Amino acid sequence: MALFLRYVGHRNSENSLTEDAFSQANPPASTTTGANASTTYASQTNTSGVLGGSVAFTRPDVGSGFIGGPYIVSGAAPTTALAQGCRPLGLFINDAVGNAFENTPGVASGKGPYTSAMGTMVVDLYETAGLTAIPGTLPNGVVVAHGGAIPYTVGLPLYASINGLLTPCPNDAYEVASGAATFGTVIGVVTEAPTATSAQMKLDQRV
């Protein structure tokens, strides 16, 4: 399980998936030193393409009417004008490439449904460490260092990271890292934080 829908506002499948939505590495970029900074559900290890529970973005670099994962160039943080046109929309419901021995609707249709219009959901796919040089101070006053562990607590706002995963670090928000905005779009609010015994995090969506 990467995304479990408890209550969902809308399953949006209007736009088409970008080509790299089926081929991107996971995570597509990371500016931390040392080990991978993102947590990936065991069954999704080495899975290519956007993942269920990852963030869906507008992709003006491809064209009008396309969505996908984050726009990344050469595995670097997004700083180009094309990246600055990307905006987070919601959370992908399914993996784009599907799983072995199962139906692959994304591949067949070129569509990737994502959640929009609020909702309550559970995820186990999110950033576990600060990504950028100065990830920032969380609203509860906790300072997250570059590569430092993120202490999730109830009430934290969640943004789309440069990897296209949820993070509470304000400076790791995709729009902030790309220079497109001073503040990132709030994707949701943590209502149940992950623990040492359970990786699941519950959130109320805000987009």
Side-chain angles (χ1 to χ4, degrees):
M1 184 216 76
L3 176 68
F4 177 64
L5 302 175
R6 299 297 299 270
Y7 304 97
V8 62
H10 184 60
R11 297 173 176 87
N12 196 327
S13 59
E14 180 65 22
N15 296 316
S16 299
L17 287 167
T18 59
E19 184 176 343
D20 60 10
F22 300 98
S23 61
Q24 72 172 43
N26 289 303
S30 178
T31 56
T32 60
T33 57
N36 185 349
S38 305
T39 181
T40 304
Y41 190 55
S43 65
Q44 295 174 318
T45 301
N46 299 322
T47 299
S48 298
V50 295
L51 303 173
S54 65
V55 178
F57 290 83
T58 57
R59 286 293 298 273
D61 58 298
V62 176
S64 181
F66 285 90
I67 61 169
Y71 172 74
I72 300 291
V73 178
S74 301
T79 57
T80 68
L82 290 175
Q84 292 175 357
C86 297
R87 291 293 185 275
L89 300 170
L91 300 179
F92 280 112
I93 297 173
N94 305 311
D95 294 1
V97 297
N99 297 309
F101 311 111
E102 292 183 359
N103 291 332
T104 53
V107 176
S109 66
K111 301 287 187 177
Y114 64 91
T115 60
S116 62
M118 308 302 180
T120 298
M121 52 210 67
V122 179
V123 296
D124 58 10
L125 185 66
Y126 44 81
E127 300 291 0
T128 57
L131 295 175
T132 56
I134 308 175
T137 302
L138 306 184
N140 59 10
V142 174
V143 178
V144 178
H146 180 205
I150 298 173
Y152 283 87
T153 58
V154 172
L156 287 178
L158 297 167
Y159 311 97
S161 76
I162 62 175
N163 286 323
L165 303 180
L166 294 172
T167 181
C169 297
N171 290 342
D172 284 352
Y174 187 91
E175 307 99 298
V176 176
S178 69
T182 305
F183 301 100
T185 300
V186 175
I187 302 294
V189 176
V190 178
T191 58
E192 186 174 316
T195 66
T197 57
S198 174
Q200 296 183 359
M201 177 172 66
K202 187 182 296 183
L203 65 126
D204 277 1
Q205 190 164 296
R206 289 292 180 265
V207 292

